[in-house]
Amino acid sequence: MSITDGDLFGILAALAILLGSANLFARMFKRFRHPPVIGEILGGLLLGPTLFGMFAPEAQAWLFPRTGAVASGLGLVGQIGMLLLMFLAGAEMRTVFSRHDGRMVGMIAVAGIVVPLAGGVLFTWSLDGSGLIGPANDSTALGLVLISSLAVTSIPVIARIMLDLGIMQTVFARVVLSVAVLEDIVLNVLLAVALGMVSHAKQDAFGLSTVLQLSSTTESIAYHTLASIGFLLLVYGVSKVRRPTRRLVSDRAADQVAIRIVLTLGVAASCVLLGLAPIFGAFAVGLLTDLPRTGSESMTVIRSFASGFFIPIYFAIVGLKLDLVHGFALWFTIGFILLACALKIVGVFVGARLAGSPAQNAINLAVAMNARGGPGIVMATLAFDAGIVSQQLFTTLILTAIATSLLAGSWLERALARGQLMPKATESDPALVSSAS
């Protein structure tokens, strides 16, 4: 398949403009100590139907068409960016997870998932989903996405916030990130199940789940749950077979980068074959595999080129899809954000208090873990592309991820200024970082 010079010009021009806009606003947000990812989304939002399309609809449609070679080119770069993002997220989880504070981490993780899950189930049952459900018309998948979106915590966003505040080496940071690891593993399985349930309904459906012709919702849920868990266990088992892989891995950073990318793309492709979401494979590779004789240099290289090009393009495309003029319900969005904050904060607060954390610190933990950031945005994007959620709900989920991330950053910065966080805490502290009272 070949593309014309006009198509090539359109792809390159769209990529250059998107990347430039995303980088400009990301630097601006970073300067004011806000998550750069929000700036990247804003960079795409301004180029989409919300602003550019409102004042110059024909020019916007010509530069960023919804179909054709240019749309396919942007979509491919965005998909690679999403896979690399999930790979890096998985790798970050592996490095931050700690076995210390097991009781605290376990209780917060359970309460932080159970309360939003229960609230999400009640919310889904009582909701008129006619304006929220997407073209796939699967209410069960919609419910799973809503529940996951209410419970998710963003490891990249909250880690960056704590790094900027100088509290990354504290027990507070360690517990927040350890809980987030456990939560996101569970929620990624739920997301994989939701995406798998609607994949067979597509006209171009592909994979084992399509071949099996799963006829009922129960069969679909059972298959995709077992396939997701089994896939994680399989990747984990293969990752422990070190002797054969030692012969394949050289000490050159370029070779190590190539092998990591090959694994990420190959495992993601195998997920598609099984009828699972490809991001689940990229996440599993990052979380469970660690090549022998690999230092930090190869990961630094991958993180640099991914965060410099592919990932900003992905988040800019997210902003490009937002339509705050035609696909935005103000009062529903405000209500959903308040509900999401209440469920997550209450869940984490209860878990922290049951584990013996002081009240003020339990509040700080709860607000920190309320940040949904990148994972919340990825969930919304995947659900929208799969036809699970409508344009209106997609916009609401993205704005929820942005609002909760901004809230977490502002809250922790003020808590540190008031002396409620202790940056010099050590692993030997018998209690979690307590309030300075």
Side-chain angles (χ1 to χ4, degrees), residues 157-184:
V157 166
I158 196 60
R160 182 57 182 267
I161 290 171
M162 294 189 293
L163 185 64
D164 289 342
L165 294 178
I167 60 173
M168 194 62 175
Q169 301 305 317
T170 64
V171 181
F172 180 89
R174 188 179 69 211
V175 170
V176 168
L177 295 176
S178 297
V179 173
V181 168
L182 298 179
E183 288 184 349
D184 284 6

mmCIF file with all atom_site columns, all heavy atoms in Angstrom, residues 157-184:
data_model
loop_
_atom_site.group_PDB
_atom_site.id
_atom_site.type_symbol
_atom_site.label_atom_id
_atom_site.label_alt_id
_atom_site.label_comp_id
_atom_site.label_asym_id
_atom_site.label_entity_id
_atom_site.label_seq_id
_atom_site.pdbx_PDB_ins_code
_atom_site.Cartn_x
_atom_site.Cartn_y
_atom_site.Cartn_z
_atom_site.occupancy
_atom_site.B_iso_or_equiv
_atom_site.pdbx_formal_charge
_atom_site.auth_seq_id
_atom_site.auth_comp_id
_atom_site.auth_asym_id
_atom_site.auth_atom_id
_atom_site.pdbx_PDB_model_num
ATOM 1   N N   . VAL A 1 157 ? 1.130  10.523 37.104 1.00 0.00 ? 157 VAL A N   1
ATOM 2   C CA  . VAL A 1 157 ? 0.813  11.885 37.546 1.00 0.00 ? 157 VAL A CA  1
ATOM 3   C C   . VAL A 1 157 ? 1.178  12.086 39.010 1.00 0.00 ? 157 VAL A C   1
ATOM 4   O O   . VAL A 1 157 ? 1.847  13.055 39.373 1.00 0.00 ? 157 VAL A O   1
ATOM 5   C CB  . VAL A 1 157 ? -0.677 12.208 37.309 1.00 0.00 ? 157 VAL A CB  1
ATOM 6   C CG1 . VAL A 1 157 ? -1.079 13.471 38.058 1.00 0.00 ? 157 VAL A CG1 1
ATOM 7   C CG2 . VAL A 1 157 ? -0.933 12.387 35.824 1.00 0.00 ? 157 VAL A CG2 1
ATOM 8   N N   . ILE A 1 158 ? 0.747  11.176 39.882 1.00 0.00 ? 158 ILE A N   1
ATOM 9   C CA  . ILE A 1 158 ? 0.996  11.367 41.303 1.00 0.00 ? 158 ILE A CA  1
ATOM 10  C C   . ILE A 1 158 ? 2.481  11.220 41.620 1.00 0.00 ? 158 ILE A C   1
ATOM 11  O O   . ILE A 1 158 ? 3.016  11.897 42.513 1.00 0.00 ? 158 ILE A O   1
ATOM 12  C CB  . ILE A 1 158 ? 0.138  10.388 42.148 1.00 0.00 ? 158 ILE A CB  1
ATOM 13  C CG1 . ILE A 1 158 ? 0.110  10.852 43.606 1.00 0.00 ? 158 ILE A CG1 1
ATOM 14  C CG2 . ILE A 1 158 ? 0.631  8.968  42.041 1.00 0.00 ? 158 ILE A CG2 1
ATOM 15  C CD1 . ILE A 1 158 ? -0.466 12.217 43.810 1.00 0.00 ? 158 ILE A CD1 1
ATOM 16  N N   . ALA A 1 159 ? 3.175  10.344 40.878 1.00 0.00 ? 159 ALA A N   1
ATOM 17  C CA  . ALA A 1 159 ? 4.618  10.219 41.084 1.00 0.00 ? 159 ALA A CA  1
ATOM 18  C C   . ALA A 1 159 ? 5.329  11.515 40.696 1.00 0.00 ? 159 ALA A C   1
ATOM 19  O O   . ALA A 1 159 ? 6.255  11.967 41.391 1.00 0.00 ? 159 ALA A O   1
ATOM 20  C CB  . ALA A 1 159 ? 5.167  9.047  40.259 1.00 0.00 ? 159 ALA A CB  1
ATOM 21  N N   . ARG A 1 160 ? 4.908  12.116 39.591 1.00 0.00 ? 160 ARG A N   1
ATOM 22  C CA  . ARG A 1 160 ? 5.530  13.372 39.164 1.00 0.00 ? 160 ARG A CA  1
ATOM 23  C C   . ARG A 1 160 ? 5.246  14.497 40.165 1.00 0.00 ? 160 ARG A C   1
ATOM 24  O O   . ARG A 1 160 ? 6.127  15.309 40.469 1.00 0.00 ? 160 ARG A O   1
ATOM 25  C CB  . ARG A 1 160 ? 5.015  13.760 37.781 1.00 0.00 ? 160 ARG A CB  1
ATOM 26  C CG  . ARG A 1 160 ? 5.627  15.040 37.221 1.00 0.00 ? 160 ARG A CG  1
ATOM 27  C CD  . ARG A 1 160 ? 7.159  14.914 37.178 1.00 0.00 ? 160 ARG A CD  1
ATOM 28  N NE  . ARG A 1 160 ? 7.782  16.121 36.707 1.00 0.00 ? 160 ARG A NE  1
ATOM 29  C CZ  . ARG A 1 160 ? 8.083  16.326 35.416 1.00 0.00 ? 160 ARG A CZ  1
ATOM 30  N NH1 . ARG A 1 160 ? 7.792  15.422 34.507 1.00 0.00 ? 160 ARG A NH1 1
ATOM 31  N NH2 . ARG A 1 160 ? 8.680  17.441 35.053 1.00 0.00 ? 160 ARG A NH2 1
ATOM 32  N N   . ILE A 1 161 ? 4.033  14.537 40.700 1.00 0.00 ? 161 ILE A N   1
ATOM 33  C CA  . ILE A 1 161 ? 3.684  15.563 41.685 1.00 0.00 ? 161 ILE A CA  1
ATOM 34  C C   . ILE A 1 161 ? 4.568  15.433 42.920 1.00 0.00 ? 161 ILE A C   1
ATOM 35  O O   . ILE A 1 161 ? 5.138  16.414 43.417 1.00 0.00 ? 161 ILE A O   1
ATOM 36  C CB  . ILE A 1 161 ? 2.197  15.446 42.070 1.00 0.00 ? 161 ILE A CB  1
ATOM 37  C CG1 . ILE A 1 161 ? 1.307  15.874 40.890 1.00 0.00 ? 161 ILE A CG1 1
ATOM 38  C CG2 . ILE A 1 161 ? 1.884  16.317 43.295 1.00 0.00 ? 161 ILE A CG2 1
ATOM 39  C CD1 . ILE A 1 161 ? -0.165 15.585 41.112 1.00 0.00 ? 161 ILE A CD1 1
ATOM 40  N N   . MET A 1 162 ? 4.712  14.199 43.418 1.00 0.00 ? 162 MET A N   1
ATOM 41  C CA  . MET A 1 162 ? 5.509  13.987 44.628 1.00 0.00 ? 162 MET A CA  1
ATOM 42  C C   . MET A 1 162 ? 6.986  14.209 44.369 1.00 0.00 ? 162 MET A C   1
ATOM 43  O O   . MET A 1 162 ? 7.727  14.667 45.251 1.00 0.00 ? 162 MET A O   1
ATOM 44  C CB  . MET A 1 162 ? 5.244  12.593 45.188 1.00 0.00 ? 162 MET A CB  1
ATOM 45  C CG  . MET A 1 162 ? 3.813  12.427 45.697 1.00 0.00 ? 162 MET A CG  1
ATOM 46  S SD  . MET A 1 162 ? 3.491  10.895 46.605 1.00 0.00 ? 162 MET A SD  1
ATOM 47  C CE  . MET A 1 162 ? 3.665  9.692  45.292 1.00 0.00 ? 162 MET A CE  1
ATOM 48  N N   . LEU A 1 163 ? 7.441  13.911 43.160 1.00 0.00 ? 163 LEU A N   1
ATOM 49  C CA  . LEU A 1 163 ? 8.832  14.186 42.803 1.00 0.00 ? 163 LEU A CA  1
ATOM 50  C C   . LEU A 1 163 ? 9.106  15.686 42.803 1.00 0.00 ? 163 LEU A C   1
ATOM 51  O O   . LEU A 1 163 ? 10.122 16.155 43.328 1.00 0.00 ? 163 LEU A O   1
ATOM 52  C CB  . LEU A 1 163 ? 9.142  13.589 41.424 1.00 0.00 ? 163 LEU A CB  1
ATOM 53  C CG  . LEU A 1 163 ? 10.592 13.689 40.947 1.00 0.00 ? 163 LEU A CG  1
ATOM 54  C CD1 . LEU A 1 163 ? 11.513 12.881 41.851 1.00 0.00 ? 163 LEU A CD1 1
ATOM 55  C CD2 . LEU A 1 163 ? 10.712 13.199 39.500 1.00 0.00 ? 163 LEU A CD2 1
ATOM 56  N N   . ASP A 1 164 ? 8.196  16.465 42.236 1.00 0.00 ? 164 ASP A N   1
ATOM 57  C CA  . ASP A 1 164 ? 8.356  17.922 42.211 1.00 0.00 ? 164 ASP A CA  1
ATOM 58  C C   . ASP A 1 164 ? 8.332  18.513 43.620 1.00 0.00 ? 164 ASP A C   1
ATOM 59  O O   . ASP A 1 164 ? 8.995  19.520 43.887 1.00 0.00 ? 164 ASP A O   1
ATOM 60  C CB  . ASP A 1 164 ? 7.243  18.561 41.368 1.00 0.00 ? 164 ASP A CB  1
ATOM 61  C CG  . ASP A 1 164 ? 7.411  18.278 39.879 1.00 0.00 ? 164 ASP A CG  1
ATOM 62  O OD1 . ASP A 1 164 ? 8.531  17.906 39.479 1.00 0.00 ? 164 ASP A OD1 1
ATOM 63  O OD2 . ASP A 1 164 ? 6.433  18.419 39.131 1.00 0.00 ? 164 ASP A OD2 1
ATOM 64  N N   . LEU A 1 165 ? 7.573  17.892 44.517 1.00 0.00 ? 165 LEU A N   1
ATOM 65  C CA  . LEU A 1 165 ? 7.468  18.400 45.888 1.00 0.00 ? 165 LEU A CA  1
ATOM 66  C C   . LEU A 1 165 ? 8.617  17.918 46.778 1.00 0.00 ? 165 LEU A C   1
ATOM 67  O O   . LEU A 1 165 ? 8.733  18.353 47.921 1.00 0.00 ? 165 LEU A O   1
ATOM 68  C CB  . LEU A 1 165 ? 6.138  17.978 46.510 1.00 0.00 ? 165 LEU A CB  1
ATOM 69  C CG  . LEU A 1 165 ? 4.874  18.572 45.885 1.00 0.00 ? 165 LEU A CG  1
ATOM 70  C CD1 . LEU A 1 165 ? 3.630  18.020 46.574 1.00 0.00 ? 165 LEU A CD1 1
ATOM 71  C CD2 . LEU A 1 165 ? 4.882  20.095 45.966 1.00 0.00 ? 165 LEU A CD2 1
ATOM 72  N N   . GLY A 1 166 ? 9.441  17.012 46.277 1.00 0.00 ? 166 GLY A N   1
ATOM 73  C CA  . GLY A 1 166 ? 10.567 16.516 47.057 1.00 0.00 ? 166 GLY A CA  1
ATOM 74  C C   . GLY A 1 166 ? 10.194 15.490 48.106 1.00 0.00 ? 166 GLY A C   1
ATOM 75  O O   . GLY A 1 166 ? 10.915 15.328 49.099 1.00 0.00 ? 166 GLY A O   1
ATOM 76  N N   . ILE A 1 167 ? 9.084  14.776 47.924 1.00 0.00 ? 167 ILE A N   1
ATOM 77  C CA  . ILE A 1 167 ? 8.656  13.794 48.923 1.00 0.00 ? 167 ILE A CA  1
ATOM 78  C C   . ILE A 1 167 ? 8.645  12.383 48.346 1.00 0.00 ? 167 ILE A C   1
ATOM 79  O O   . ILE A 1 167 ? 8.020  11.476 48.903 1.00 0.00 ? 167 ILE A O   1
ATOM 80  C CB  . ILE A 1 167 ? 7.254  14.149 49.487 1.00 0.00 ? 167 ILE A CB  1
ATOM 81  C CG1 . ILE A 1 167 ? 6.213  14.168 48.367 1.00 0.00 ? 167 ILE A CG1 1
ATOM 82  C CG2 . ILE A 1 167 ? 7.291  15.479 50.215 1.00 0.00 ? 167 ILE A CG2 1
ATOM 83  C CD1 . ILE A 1 167 ? 4.777  14.337 48.876 1.00 0.00 ? 167 ILE A CD1 1
ATOM 84  N N   . MET A 1 168 ? 9.364  12.171 47.244 1.00 0.00 ? 168 MET A N   1
ATOM 85  C CA  . MET A 1 168 ? 9.315  10.886 46.556 1.00 0.00 ? 168 MET A CA  1
ATOM 86  C C   . MET A 1 168 ? 9.924  9.760  47.392 1.00 0.00 ? 168 MET A C   1
ATOM 87  O O   . MET A 1 168 ? 9.549  8.604  47.244 1.00 0.00 ? 168 MET A O   1
ATOM 88  C CB  . MET A 1 168 ? 10.045 10.992 45.210 1.00 0.00 ? 168 MET A CB  1
ATOM 89  C CG  . MET A 1 168 ? 9.777  9.844  44.279 1.00 0.00 ? 168 MET A CG  1
ATOM 90  S SD  . MET A 1 168 ? 8.021  9.740  43.834 1.00 0.00 ? 168 MET A SD  1
ATOM 91  C CE  . MET A 1 168 ? 8.066  8.421  42.638 1.00 0.00 ? 168 MET A CE  1
ATOM 92  N N   . GLN A 1 169 ? 10.862 10.070 48.297 1.00 0.00 ? 169 GLN A N   1
ATOM 93  C CA  . GLN A 1 169 ? 11.531 9.047  49.082 1.00 0.00 ? 169 GLN A CA  1
ATOM 94  C C   . GLN A 1 169 ? 10.879 8.828  50.442 1.00 0.00 ? 169 GLN A C   1
ATOM 95  O O   . GLN A 1 169 ? 11.450 8.176  51.313 1.00 0.00 ? 169 GLN A O   1
ATOM 96  C CB  . GLN A 1 169 ? 13.003 9.445  49.274 1.00 0.00 ? 169 GLN A CB  1
ATOM 97  C CG  . GLN A 1 169 ? 13.777 9.624  47.983 1.00 0.00 ? 169 GLN A CG  1
ATOM 98  C CD  . GLN A 1 169 ? 13.725 8.396  47.090 1.00 0.00 ? 169 GLN A CD  1
ATOM 99  O OE1 . GLN A 1 169 ? 13.857 7.276  47.575 1.00 0.00 ? 169 GLN A OE1 1
ATOM 100 N NE2 . GLN A 1 169 ? 13.545 8.598  45.794 1.00 0.00 ? 169 GLN A NE2 1
ATOM 101 N N   . THR A 1 170 ? 9.701  9.368  50.649 1.00 0.00 ? 170 THR A N   1
ATOM 102 C CA  . THR A 1 170 ? 9.031  9.223  51.937 1.00 0.00 ? 170 THR A CA  1
ATOM 103 C C   . THR A 1 170 ? 8.179  7.967  51.986 1.00 0.00 ? 170 THR A C   1
ATOM 104 O O   . THR A 1 170 ? 7.847  7.369  50.958 1.00 0.00 ? 170 THR A O   1
ATOM 105 C CB  . THR A 1 170 ? 8.122  10.436 52.227 1.00 0.00 ? 170 THR A CB  1
ATOM 106 O OG1 . THR A 1 170 ? 7.079  10.461 51.243 1.00 0.00 ? 170 THR A OG1 1
ATOM 107 C CG2 . THR A 1 170 ? 8.910  11.728 52.165 1.00 0.00 ? 170 THR A CG2 1
ATOM 108 N N   . VAL A 1 171 ? 7.802  7.578  53.217 1.00 0.00 ? 171 VAL A N   1
ATOM 109 C CA  . VAL A 1 171 ? 6.884  6.449  53.381 1.00 0.00 ? 171 VAL A CA  1
ATOM 110 C C   . VAL A 1 171 ? 5.530  6.783  52.764 1.00 0.00 ? 171 VAL A C   1
ATOM 111 O O   . VAL A 1 171 ? 4.858  5.921  52.196 1.00 0.00 ? 171 VAL A O   1
ATOM 112 C CB  . VAL A 1 171 ? 6.731  6.116  54.885 1.00 0.00 ? 171 VAL A CB  1
ATOM 113 C CG1 . VAL A 1 171 ? 5.799  4.928  55.070 1.00 0.00 ? 171 VAL A CG1 1
ATOM 114 C CG2 . VAL A 1 171 ? 8.090  5.812  55.495 1.00 0.00 ? 171 VAL A CG2 1
ATOM 115 N N   . PHE A 1 172 ? 5.131  8.044  52.856 1.00 0.00 ? 172 PHE A N   1
ATOM 116 C CA  . PHE A 1 172 ? 3.878  8.491  52.251 1.00 0.00 ? 172 PHE A CA  1
ATOM 117 C C   . PHE A 1 172 ? 3.860  8.155  50.763 1.00 0.00 ? 172 PHE A C   1
ATOM 118 O O   . PHE A 1 172 ? 2.904  7.560  50.253 1.00 0.00 ? 172 PHE A O   1
ATOM 119 C CB  . PHE A 1 172 ? 3.722  10.002 52.449 1.00 0.00 ? 172 PHE A CB  1
ATOM 120 C CG  . PHE A 1 172 ? 2.467  10.584 51.857 1.00 0.00 ? 172 PHE A CG  1
ATOM 121 C CD1 . PHE A 1 172 ? 1.296  10.642 52.599 1.00 0.00 ? 172 PHE A CD1 1
ATOM 122 C CD2 . PHE A 1 172 ? 2.451  11.074 50.557 1.00 0.00 ? 172 PHE A CD2 1
ATOM 123 C CE1 . PHE A 1 172 ? 0.132  11.170 52.058 1.00 0.00 ? 172 PHE A CE1 1
ATOM 124 C CE2 . PHE A 1 172 ? 1.301  11.603 50.005 1.00 0.00 ? 172 PHE A CE2 1
ATOM 125 C CZ  . PHE A 1 172 ? 0.133  11.657 50.763 1.00 0.00 ? 172 PHE A CZ  1
ATOM 126 N N   . ALA A 1 173 ? 4.921  8.525  50.051 1.00 0.00 ? 173 ALA A N   1
ATOM 127 C CA  . ALA A 1 173 ? 4.992  8.266  48.608 1.00 0.00 ? 173 ALA A CA  1
ATOM 128 C C   . ALA A 1 173 ? 5.026  6.776  48.327 1.00 0.00 ? 173 ALA A C   1
ATOM 129 O O   . ALA A 1 173 ? 4.384  6.284  47.394 1.00 0.00 ? 173 ALA A O   1
ATOM 130 C CB  . ALA A 1 173 ? 6.220  8.951  48.020 1.00 0.00 ? 173 ALA A CB  1
ATOM 131 N N   . ARG A 1 174 ? 5.782  6.041  49.142 1.00 0.00 ? 174 ARG A N   1
ATOM 132 C CA  . ARG A 1 174 ? 5.902  4.605  48.919 1.00 0.00 ? 174 ARG A CA  1
ATOM 133 C C   . ARG A 1 174 ? 4.553  3.908  49.046 1.00 0.00 ? 174 ARG A C   1
ATOM 134 O O   . ARG A 1 174 ? 4.203  3.036  48.247 1.00 0.00 ? 174 ARG A O   1
ATOM 135 C CB  . ARG A 1 174 ? 6.895  4.023  49.919 1.00 0.00 ? 174 ARG A CB  1
ATOM 136 C CG  . ARG A 1 174 ? 7.243  2.549  49.661 1.00 0.00 ? 174 ARG A CG  1
ATOM 137 C CD  . ARG A 1 174 ? 8.245  2.067  50.680 1.00 0.00 ? 174 ARG A CD  1
ATOM 138 N NE  . ARG A 1 174 ? 7.637  1.985  52.008 1.00 0.00 ? 174 ARG A NE  1
ATOM 139 C CZ  . ARG A 1 174 ? 8.321  2.181  53.147 1.00 0.00 ? 174 ARG A CZ  1
ATOM 140 N NH1 . ARG A 1 174 ? 9.590  2.517  53.101 1.00 0.00 ? 174 ARG A NH1 1
ATOM 141 N NH2 . ARG A 1 174 ? 7.710  2.054  54.311 1.00 0.00 ? 174 ARG A NH2 1
ATOM 142 N N   . VAL A 1 175 ? 3.771  4.285  50.048 1.00 0.00 ? 175 VAL A N   1
ATOM 143 C CA  . VAL A 1 175 ? 2.465  3.655  50.246 1.00 0.00 ? 175 VAL A CA  1
ATOM 144 C C   . VAL A 1 175 ? 1.502  4.027  49.122 1.00 0.00 ? 175 VAL A C   1
ATOM 145 O O   . VAL A 1 175 ? 0.786  3.174  48.589 1.00 0.00 ? 175 VAL A O   1
ATOM 146 C CB  . VAL A 1 175 ? 1.887  4.054  51.621 1.00 0.00 ? 175 VAL A CB  1
ATOM 147 C CG1 . VAL A 1 175 ? 0.429  3.611  51.744 1.00 0.00 ? 175 VAL A CG1 1
ATOM 148 C CG2 . VAL A 1 175 ? 2.719  3.440  52.729 1.00 0.00 ? 175 VAL A CG2 1
ATOM 149 N N   . VAL A 1 176 ? 1.478  5.318  48.739 1.00 0.00 ? 176 VAL A N   1
ATOM 150 C CA  . VAL A 1 176 ? 0.598  5.758  47.654 1.00 0.00 ? 176 VAL A CA  1
ATOM 151 C C   . VAL A 1 176 ? 0.873  4.968  46.381 1.00 0.00 ? 176 VAL A C   1
ATOM 152 O O   . VAL A 1 176 ? -0.046 4.445  45.731 1.00 0.00 ? 176 VAL A O   1
ATOM 153 C CB  . VAL A 1 176 ? 0.772  7.266  47.398 1.00 0.00 ? 176 VAL A CB  1
ATOM 154 C CG1 . VAL A 1 176 ? 0.093  7.666  46.087 1.00 0.00 ? 176 VAL A CG1 1
ATOM 155 C CG2 . VAL A 1 176 ? 0.181  8.076  48.545 1.00 0.00 ? 176 VAL A CG2 1
ATOM 156 N N   . LEU A 1 177 ? 2.140  4.843  46.016 1.00 0.00 ? 177 LEU A N   1
ATOM 157 C CA  . LEU A 1 177 ? 2.486  4.174  44.763 1.00 0.00 ? 177 LEU A CA  1
ATOM 158 C C   . LEU A 1 177 ? 2.267  2.664  44.853 1.00 0.00 ? 177 LEU A C   1
ATOM 159 O O   . LEU A 1 177 ? 1.848  2.032  43.877 1.00 0.00 ? 177 LEU A O   1
ATOM 160 C CB  . LEU A 1 177 ? 3.933  4.491  44.396 1.00 0.00 ? 177 LEU A CB  1
ATOM 161 C CG  . LEU A 1 177 ? 4.212  5.968  44.082 1.00 0.00 ? 177 LEU A CG  1
ATOM 162 C CD1 . LEU A 1 177 ? 5.687  6.198  43.823 1.00 0.00 ? 177 LEU A CD1 1
ATOM 163 C CD2 . LEU A 1 177 ? 3.394  6.425  42.890 1.00 0.00 ? 177 LEU A CD2 1
ATOM 164 N N   . SER A 1 178 ? 2.545  2.075  46.015 1.00 0.00 ? 178 SER A N   1
ATOM 165 C CA  . SER A 1 178 ? 2.326  0.633  46.174 1.00 0.00 ? 178 SER A CA  1
ATOM 166 C C   . SER A 1 178 ? 0.841  0.288  46.062 1.00 0.00 ? 178 SER A C   1
ATOM 167 O O   . SER A 1 178 ? 0.459  -0.699 45.427 1.00 0.00 ? 178 SER A O   1
ATOM 168 C CB  . SER A 1 178 ? 2.873  0.166  47.527 1.00 0.00 ? 178 SER A CB  1
ATOM 169 O OG  . SER A 1 178 ? 4.267  0.348  47.598 1.00 0.00 ? 178 SER A OG  1
ATOM 170 N N   . VAL A 1 179 ? -0.017 1.105  46.678 1.00 0.00 ? 179 VAL A N   1
ATOM 171 C CA  . VAL A 1 179 ? -1.462 0.885  46.571 1.00 0.00 ? 179 VAL A CA  1
ATOM 172 C C   . VAL A 1 179 ? -1.911 1.049  45.121 1.00 0.00 ? 179 VAL A C   1
ATOM 173 O O   . VAL A 1 179 ? -2.707 0.260  44.600 1.00 0.00 ? 179 VAL A O   1
ATOM 174 C CB  . VAL A 1 179 ? -2.228 1.859  47.490 1.00 0.00 ? 179 VAL A CB  1
ATOM 175 C CG1 . VAL A 1 179 ? -3.729 1.750  47.239 1.00 0.00 ? 179 VAL A CG1 1
ATOM 176 C CG2 . VAL A 1 179 ? -1.926 1.573  48.951 1.00 0.00 ? 179 VAL A CG2 1
ATOM 177 N N   . ALA A 1 180 ? -1.400 2.084  44.464 1.00 0.00 ? 180 ALA A N   1
ATOM 178 C CA  . ALA A 1 180 ? -1.784 2.342  43.074 1.00 0.00 ? 180 ALA A CA  1
ATOM 179 C C   . ALA A 1 180 ? -1.411 1.180  42.164 1.00 0.00 ? 180 ALA A C   1
ATOM 180 O O   . ALA A 1 180 ? -2.131 0.866  41.210 1.00 0.00 ? 180 ALA A O   1
ATOM 181 C CB  . ALA A 1 180 ? -1.128 3.633  42.584 1.00 0.00 ? 180 ALA A CB  1
ATOM 182 N N   . VAL A 1 181 ? -0.270 0.529  42.449 1.00 0.00 ? 181 VAL A N   1
ATOM 183 C CA  . VAL A 1 181 ? 0.137  -0.636 41.665 1.00 0.00 ? 181 VAL A CA  1
ATOM 184 C C   . VAL A 1 181 ? -0.927 -1.729 41.744 1.00 0.00 ? 181 VAL A C   1
ATOM 185 O O   . VAL A 1 181 ? -1.384 -2.262 40.727 1.00 0.00 ? 181 VAL A O   1
ATOM 186 C CB  . VAL A 1 181 ? 1.500  -1.179 42.168 1.00 0.00 ? 181 VAL A CB  1
ATOM 187 C CG1 . VAL A 1 181 ? 1.770  -2.549 41.568 1.00 0.00 ? 181 VAL A CG1 1
ATOM 188 C CG2 . VAL A 1 181 ? 2.619  -0.229 41.807 1.00 0.00 ? 181 VAL A CG2 1
ATOM 189 N N   . LEU A 1 182 ? -1.323 -2.068 42.961 1.00 0.00 ? 182 LEU A N   1
ATOM 190 C CA  . LEU A 1 182 ? -2.313 -3.133 43.141 1.00 0.00 ? 182 LEU A CA  1
ATOM 191 C C   . LEU A 1 182 ? -3.644 -2.773 42.495 1.00 0.00 ? 182 LEU A C   1
ATOM 192 O O   . LEU A 1 182 ? -4.275 -3.605 41.830 1.00 0.00 ? 182 LEU A O   1
ATOM 193 C CB  . LEU A 1 182 ? -2.507 -3.402 44.632 1.00 0.00 ? 182 LEU A CB  1
ATOM 194 C CG  . LEU A 1 182 ? -1.278 -3.893 45.405 1.00 0.00 ? 182 LEU A CG  1
ATOM 195 C CD1 . LEU A 1 182 ? -1.615 -4.083 46.876 1.00 0.00 ? 182 LEU A CD1 1
ATOM 196 C CD2 . LEU A 1 182 ? -0.733 -5.183 44.811 1.00 0.00 ? 182 LEU A CD2 1
ATOM 197 N N   . GLU A 1 183 ? -4.082 -1.530 42.694 1.00 0.00 ? 183 GLU A N   1
ATOM 198 C CA  . GLU A 1 183 ? -5.361 -1.105 42.130 1.00 0.00 ? 183 GLU A CA  1
ATOM 199 C C   . GLU A 1 183 ? -5.356 -1.164 40.604 1.00 0.00 ? 183 GLU A C   1
ATOM 200 O O   . GLU A 1 183 ? -6.298 -1.661 39.983 1.00 0.00 ? 183 GLU A O   1
ATOM 201 C CB  . GLU A 1 183 ? -5.683 0.319  42.579 1.00 0.00 ? 183 GLU A CB  1
ATOM 202 C CG  . GLU A 1 183 ? -6.064 0.437  44.038 1.00 0.00 ? 183 GLU A CG  1
ATOM 203 C CD  . GLU A 1 183 ? -6.460 1.849  44.411 1.00 0.00 ? 183 GLU A CD  1
ATOM 204 O OE1 . GLU A 1 183 ? -6.246 2.764  43.590 1.00 0.00 ? 183 GLU A OE1 1
ATOM 205 O OE2 . GLU A 1 183 ? -6.977 2.038  45.518 1.00 0.00 ? 183 GLU A OE2 1
ATOM 206 N N   . ASP A 1 184 ? -4.295 -0.651 40.006 1.00 0.00 ? 184 ASP A N   1
ATOM 207 C CA  . ASP A 1 184 ? -4.277 -0.554 38.551 1.00 0.00 ? 184 ASP A CA  1
ATOM 208 C C   . ASP A 1 184 ? -4.167 -1.911 37.881 1.00 0.00 ? 184 ASP A C   1
ATOM 209 O O   . ASP A 1 184 ? -4.627 -2.097 36.751 1.00 0.00 ? 184 ASP A O   1
ATOM 210 C CB  . ASP A 1 184 ? -3.146 0.372  38.096 1.00 0.00 ? 184 ASP A CB  1
ATOM 211 C CG  . ASP A 1 184 ? -3.477 1.834  38.321 1.00 0.00 ? 184 ASP A CG  1
ATOM 212 O OD1 . ASP A 1 184 ? -4.531 2.101  38.929 1.00 0.00 ? 184 ASP A OD1 1
ATOM 213 O OD2 . ASP A 1 184 ? -2.692 2.705  37.903 1.00 0.00 ? 184 ASP A OD2 1
#
